[in-house]
Amino acid sequence: MRRADRLFRIVQMLRSGRLKTARALAERLQVSERTIYRDVRDLQLAGQPIEGEAGVGYTLRRDFDLPPLMFTPEELTALVLGARLVKAWGGAENVAAANSALARIEAVLPPELASRLDAIALYAPGFKMTMSQRKLLDALHKGCLNRTVLAFRYTRLGEDESRGEHRTVRPLALTFWSGVWTLAAWCEMRNDFRTFRIDRIAEFVATDRIFTSQRGQRLEDLMKKLRAEPKWQEATRSRLE
């Protein structure tokens, strides 16, 4: 757990008004009591009105409370649906983040809004995303963020896997198209932009090569090129490997 997340949860647990000992907080957060003492001291120095002392316990001052998150029912529905879509189709790290975000929202919602969460009847079944695909999605995203050259064997849709080709690409962005994730990249083999379905990628390796964005090979160059064509959606598909 990140320290920022832990500090947030300490404040949330102290909001109940009941005295919480450092031991109780440490057991809940799975850290040492010394860590709790240090975190509480830093929160107090940052202006949080935490009362108490080591060996006795801590609580938030009675006249203090965090302002409730006030969402309209429509906003709450959008947030929950978005999180469910991420949990269904996102990478493994995205799923963990979506669960954490929902838990945070629920923790500070007023009771009348919190009761609406389970009543939202919009779902996104995610059984089509295997764990290996989720982890691959995470790795591809890191490649985009870190500008790392990626290598993999790729088989075009409808072709036998024995005909797969080895590619090295400069990843640019990931796009979700009607149940399919694709990777937009500059393909070093084709010396041009290409889009790869991640469910057709095998033998993936993140190399130690870092690339520098060059004019004509950037994501904005790809988007400009697509928009200049009469039917840019069809143009996108035509570059799908």
Side-chain angles (χ1 to χ4, degrees):
M1 179 187 299
R2 296 183 308 168
R3 185 167 186 267
D5 295 330
R6 189 174 67 248
L7 295 177
F8 176 86
R9 290 190 62 185
I10 289 173
V11 174
Q12 293 303 303
M13 286 187 281
L14 295 180
R15 290 182 67 199
S16 67
R18 295 189 297 273
L19 206 64
K20 294 284 197 314
T21 65
R23 176 177 294 181
L25 293 170
E27 289 177 353
R28 183 77 178 274
L29 298 173
Q30 297 183 341
V31 294
S32 68
E33 291 184 44
R34 180 177 296 180
T35 297
I36 296 297
Y37 292 140
R38 184 176 63 248
D39 287 347
V40 169
R41 182 185 68 247
D42 290 345
L43 285 168
Q44 290 172 327
L45 291 174
Q48 295 290 344
I50 298 174
E51 297 180 334
E53 59 185 46
V56 178
Y58 300 101
T59 186
L60 279 179
R61 199 170 60 232
R62 290 290 184 177
D63 59 352
F64 174 83
D65 195 11
L66 293 176
L69 290 179
M70 298 303 295
F71 296 112
T72 67
E74 293 76 18
E75 289 171 338
L76 190 60
T77 296
L79 289 170
V80 172
L81 176 59
R84 287 176 179 174
L85 286 169
V86 169
K87 290 168 64 176
W89 296 102
E93 294 179 359
N94 300 143
V95 172
N99 283 328
S100 176
L102 279 178
R104 286 194 185 194
I105 291 171
E106 187 174 8
V108 295
L109 280 177
E112 63 273 16
L113 282 179
S115 64
R116 293 178 178 269
L117 287 177
D118 293 333
I120 294 174
L122 291 169
Y123 297 95
F127 58 86
K128 287 188 177 181
M129 283 287 287
T130 65
M131 182 53 66
S132 61
Q133 288 178 328
R134 293 185 189 278
K135 291 181 177 180
L136 175 59
L137 186 61
D138 288 339
L140 294 173
H141 189 221
K142 287 179 181 177
C144 294
L145 296 177
N146 299 331
R147 297 181 179 178
T148 305
V149 173
L150 307 178
F152 49 79
R153 184 169 59 83
Y154 190 77
T155 307
R156 295 185 183 89
L157 190 64
E159 289 188 352
D160 188 88
E161 290 187 2
S162 62
R163 299 189 61 184
E165 297 177 327
H166 287 278
R167 304 293 185 96
T168 54
V169 305
R170 301 178 181 185
L172 301 175
L174 289 151
T175 309
F176 189 66
W177 302 81
S178 302
V180 176
W181 278 103
T182 60
L183 171 70
W186 178 265
C187 180
E188 295 184 343
M189 175 181 171
R190 302 294 188 192
N191 198 34
D192 198 359
F193 295 111
R194 286 294 185 272
T195 305
F196 304 90
R197 290 176 56 120
I198 74 164
D199 59 349
R200 308 298 294 176
I201 291 175
E203 300 174 14
F204 169 82
V205 175
T207 74
D208 56 3
R209 289 174 53 201
I210 305 299
F211 67 90
T212 302
S213 295
Q214 300 179 16
R215 186 178 297 277
Q217 299 179 3
R218 302 166 301 181
L219 180 62
E220 51 263 43
D221 297 318
L222 170 60
M223 299 307 298
K224 186 183 299 183
K225 189 173 184 179
L226 292 175
R227 292 192 183 101
E229 300 186 20
K231 296 183 178 180
W232 72 275
Q233 288 187 347
E234 291 183 8
T236 302
R237 295 192 185 96
S238 71
R239 290 182 174 80
L240 182 62
E241 284 287 316

